Amino acid sequence: MLRFMPVGDSQTIGSAGEHTWRYRMWQHLRETYDGPFALVGPRETLYDKATDAPTSYEYADPDPAFPRAHLAGWGEGWLHMAPLIGEAVRSCRADVLLVSLGLIDLGFYTNAEQTAENVRGFVAEARSANPRVRIVVLPVIPNVRAESDEPFGAQVTRFNELLAKTVADLDEPRSPLLLTSPPPSYDINLDTYDGTHPNASGEHKIAEAFAEAMYQAWDLGEPYAA
């Protein structure tokens, strides 16, 4: 059993009425991965905008077979997940982390350099719980604020540069660390509903970025087909 844990912010937890890229990834793995697998994590819910809390189970597809488990939170970033990831990996016995974090850090909490340091802390904590954990990381997708706020956009660019260096520095054979390419042809005007959060096409493109990285680097699964 290969256990995948989605880790992320609002783009990963999703909100009431959405499928989420987690669901798209589950569909892809179910169709292409030759072996038993599961999505794991200490949380299951979506974010409910009406109550401003992660309390919704209203997934767009209520398929009871879909494993809703994850470690994602609306407004949470590397800063928040680094202290949680060790226990989450340990308790859920995660083998592969699919991580999409950073936008909220740069927007509200830490600069690019500080955020990169939190990436290092996150990796160290995950490996302390499972020395052979594999980690796949998505670069920060620039959002509408990055287009209109030049200093913020520069921080996003700088962090992605530092993230690439950090991944290269920390990669090791027994615990591979893999940086995906940016989601293919991702357009915030077409693939989000508000300039930040993915719509259906955006969900597919984020899932595709993770899937293609794992297929190309580890021969896991097959090429993504939306």
Side-chain angles (χ1 to χ4, degrees), residues 10-214:
S10 56
Q11 295 177 338
T12 298
I13 186 174
S15 58
E18 297 176 10
H19 286 91
T20 74
W21 69 257
R22 300 181 278 114
Y23 174 83
R24 313 296 186 182
M25 176 59 69
W26 171 69
Q27 286 187 311
H28 169 74
L29 291 171
R30 187 172 61 169
E31 294 167 3
T32 67
Y33 179 65
D34 185 20
F37 76 94
L39 300 187
V40 301
R43 304 175 183 177
E44 291 187 344
T45 57
L46 297 156
Y47 179 75
D48 189 334
K49 294 180 181 178
T51 61
D52 191 26
T55 55
S56 176
Y57 286 89
E58 296 180 15
Y59 284 84
D61 185 345
D63 185 342
F66 171 48
R68 296 165 172 79
H70 62 81
L71 176 60
W74 202 274
E76 296 184 58
W78 291 104
L79 175 68
H80 307 85
M81 294 305 181
L84 303 178
I85 193 61
E87 176 57 29
V89 168
R90 189 175 298 108
S91 63
C92 299
R93 295 183 295 160
D95 302 299
V96 182
L97 306 182
L98 306 176
V99 187
S100 174
L101 291 168
L103 190 67
I104 198 73
D105 300 85
L106 300 170
F108 296 96
Y109 302 112
T110 50
N111 62 26
E113 287 74 16
Q114 292 166 330
T115 306
E117 281 302 308
N118 287 331
V119 175
R120 290 179 177 272
F122 177 100
V123 172
E125 289 297 322
R127 286 174 170 169
S128 72
N130 177 2
R132 296 188 178 277
V133 70
R134 290 187 270 179
I135 305 175
V136 191
V137 185
L138 188 78
V140 172
I141 302 171
N143 67 346
V144 64
R145 180 182 168 187
E147 290 189 349
S148 61
D149 181 340
E150 186 174 345
F152 176 66
Q155 282 290 294
V156 170
T157 299
R158 175 60 176 157
F159 172 70
N160 280 338
E161 293 170 350
L162 292 172
L163 181 63
K165 182 179 186 304
T166 300
V167 167
D169 287 347
L170 298 182
D171 183 34
E172 59 181 54
R174 73 168 185 167
S175 177
L177 190 53
L178 180 61
L179 184 67
T180 81
S181 298
S185 67
Y186 200 94
D187 184 334
I188 62 171
N189 297 305
L190 301 175
D191 298 316
T192 75
Y193 60 80
D194 62 357
T196 297
H197 300 97
N199 57 22
S201 64
E203 291 169 358
H204 277 294
K205 289 180 180 181
I206 290 172
E208 180 179 2
F210 282 114
E212 290 293 327
M214 291 190 291

